[in-house]
Amino acid sequence: MFKEKYFLIKIFLIYFLVILNSSSFAEENYYLTLRNDKVNLRQGPSLEHPVKLVYKKKFLPLLIQDKSGNFRKILDHENNSGWIHISQLSKKKAALNNEDDSIIFKKPSKYSKPLAIAKKGRLLLIKKCKNNWCKIKTGKYKGWIEKEKLKGRL
């Protein structure tokens, strides 16, 4: 009787572990940013694969689509796809302005004083997000922008 219960518990644990590792529980796509000013995008998931292009923009947000060992398959804002080593990626919060002429406000309200206009594609460092607004820094400006206008790691 004891052996049967022990056997059933082992079967249950193995089944539970298999279910947890299945693709149905896989993490969906998420954003990371570039850690350095110069990062190689490779054609495959190893250092032996040729360099496809070189990014020269620190904190550029990239959509992570897949992983293979220490490499992550990414998609950038121009639909370039390839592999980057995880040592070149960061969890620092940054986003690109996704709309033409978005206004940066002094406070998280449309009725607040406008400080600057962010052009489409402008890189914004995210300080924090609250409700539908994110506090950002770009160049010499600090302020708030609507979250819906951003694309990246928020």
Side-chain angles (χ1 to χ4, degrees):
M1 177 107 172
F2 179 75
K3 288 182 180 181
E4 289 175 355
K5 286 182 181 180
Y6 186 71
F7 177 74
L8 288 175
I9 290 172
K10 282 173 56 175
I11 295 294
F12 176 76
L13 287 175
I14 290 170
Y15 177 75
F16 185 73
L17 290 173
V18 167
I19 292 295
L20 279 181
N21 289 331
S22 72
S23 61
S24 63
F25 286 89
E27 212 174 298
E28 290 197 23
N29 296 345
Y30 58 97
Y31 282 93
L32 292 177
T33 57
L34 294 179
R35 185 181 301 271
N36 301 307
D37 286 324
K38 185 179 174 190
V39 175
N40 294 331
L41 179 69
R42 296 187 176 273
Q43 289 183 357
S46 76
L47 295 174
E48 285 75 41
H49 283 87
V51 174
K52 203 171 180 181
L53 63 89
V54 178
Y55 290 108
K56 294 184 178 180
K57 193 69 173 174
K58 190 174 184 177
F59 303 128
L60 182 70
L62 302 168
L63 183 66
I64 308 300
Q65 296 182 311
D66 197 6
K67 66 180 183 176
S68 176
N70 287 331
F71 282 81
R72 299 296 179 262
K73 185 174 184 183
I74 63 94
L75 182 69
D76 70 12
H77 64 288
E78 294 177 340
N79 284 331
N80 294 314
S81 179
W83 296 84
I84 295 179
H85 194 273
I86 57 171
S87 67
Q88 303 304 303
L89 298 170
S90 164
K91 290 185 178 179
K92 176 90 172 160
K93 293 181 180 179
L96 294 174
N97 181 30
N98 210 26
E99 291 190 15
D100 291 324
D101 299 337
S102 297
I103 300 172
I104 299 172
F105 293 95
K106 185 171 184 164
K107 295 180 181 173
S109 167
K110 286 188 176 185
Y111 304 107
S112 176
K113 179 181 176 184
L115 299 175
I117 294 176
K119 297 289 185 188
K120 186 173 183 170
R122 178 74 181 189
L123 181 62
L124 309 167
L125 299 180
I126 308 295
K127 299 300 177 191
K128 66 180 177 179
C129 290
K130 187 166 86 172
N131 299 327
N132 297 327
W133 292 84
C134 289
K135 188 172 187 175
I136 57 95
K137 180 180 187 294
T138 182
K140 63 181 181 176
Y141 297 103
K142 290 181 185 176
W144 293 84
I145 193 166
E146 293 172 282
K147 190 186 277 189
E148 67 186 24
K149 298 183 179 186
L150 304 176
K151 184 177 179 182
R153 184 168 178 85
L154 304 178

